[in-house]
Amino acid sequence: MNRHIAIYPGSFDPMTNGHMDIISRGLDIFDTVVVAVANNNEKSALFSVEERIDMINRLIASNPRILVETFSGLLVDYVVRKEARVILRGLRAVTDFEFEFQLAQMNRTVCPQVETLFMMTSPECAYLSSSIVKEVGRLKGDISKFVPTLVADKLMEKFGHR
Ligand code: ADP
C-alpha cells in the first residue's frame, strides 16, 4: 500500500477552480495526487472523458506529482489496483455531506483498508460546482472567476458563444 498517493475521483465536467484548489492543497499533504475522471457513461456529461482529461493535462502543465487517469467500475477496486489507501474528496456545503457520508460508509464497508479523506472547500470556492458554471456559461454569463481560462474558452466554444 502506497501511503503517499491520494486518489481524487470525480466527474470534473469540467474542472473548476474548486477542484484546482483541492488538488493543490492535496499536494501539500501527499507526494502524488491522481485525478481520476469517472467514466460512468453519463449521457448528461457536457465534455467527453477524453476532452476532460485533455483539459486537465493542459491545466496541470506536466506537473510530475499530478497524474490524470480515467476509471470505470467501482472506485475502491480502482484505488486498490493503484495500491493506494486514500480517496480525497472535497466538501462544500452541508448539502454535500449527506451524499459524501453515504458514499464513504459504503466504500469503507466494501473495502475497509481504503480511507476517505475530506478537505473543506476554500471559502471563495464554496458555491462553485461544475453544474452551476455550465448553467451560467450556457446563458453567456461571465465564468472567468470560477474556472481556469482554458476551461472558460472550451465552455464558450461548446455553447457556440464564439
Ligand atoms: P462528483 O460527480 O464525484 O461529485 P465532481 O467533479 O462534482 O464529481 O467533484 C469531485 C470532487 O471535488 C468531490 O469531492 C466534490 O465535492 C469536490 N468539489 C467540487 N467542487 C468543489 C469546490 N468548489 N470546493 C471543494 N470541493 C469541490
Side-chain angles (χ1 to χ4, degrees):
M1 285 281 185
N2 191 328
R3 292 173 197 276
H4 308 288
I5 289 186
I7 307 288
Y8 180 39
S11 313
F12 306 105
D13 183 41
M15 181 74 91
T16 68
N17 291 345
H19 295 130
M20 297 293 285
D21 174 64
I22 297 286
I23 295 170
S24 81
R25 288 162 58 205
L27 287 173
D28 291 339
I29 301 170
F30 297 95
D31 291 337
T32 304
V33 170
V34 181
V35 181
V37 181
N39 184 0
N40 42 19
N41 294 320
E42 235 186 291
K43 285 215 185 73
S44 57
L46 180 65
F47 292 98
S48 69
V49 169
E50 293 72 28
E51 286 175 312
R52 286 180 248 166
I53 290 180
D54 178 61
M55 269 189 275
I56 302 167
N57 270 323
R58 288 160 68 181
L59 291 170
I60 62 167
S62 8
N63 182 332
R65 294 177 56 210
I66 309 173
L67 302 179
V68 187
E69 295 188 352
T70 179
F71 73 98
S72 44
L74 265 189
L75 172 62
V76 282
D77 289 345
Y78 167 72
V79 174
V80 168
R81 276 203 304 281
K82 298 296 295 176
E83 298 185 341
R85 282 208 65 180
V86 173
I87 297 171
L88 182 62
R89 295 286 287 175
L91 272 185
R92 280 157 294 187
V94 191
T95 41
D96 275 347
F97 181 81
E98 193 65 38
F99 173 70
E100 292 292 342
F101 184 72
Q102 200 179 7
L103 199 67
Q105 294 300 349
M106 181 52 77
N107 285 336
R108 188 195 182 89
T109 308
V110 176
C111 190
Q113 73 268 34
V114 170
E115 196 67 59
T116 306
L117 205 81
F118 293 100
M119 222 172 234
M120 284 297 165
T121 180
S122 294
E124 64 275 19
C125 301
Y127 295 98
L128 212 49
S129 70
S130 297
S131 352
I132 201 130
V133 167
K134 282 185 279 193
E135 192 57 19
V136 174
R138 196 172 63 78
L139 300 170
K140 296 192 183 176
D142 179 10
I143 49 171
S144 60
K145 287 198 183 72
F146 312 130
V147 291
T149 311
L150 170 86
V151 175
D153 289 349
K154 288 278 174 201
L155 276 166
M156 292 300 104
E157 213 174 277
K158 204 62 153 180
F159 292 127
H161 294 335
R162 60 173 52 152

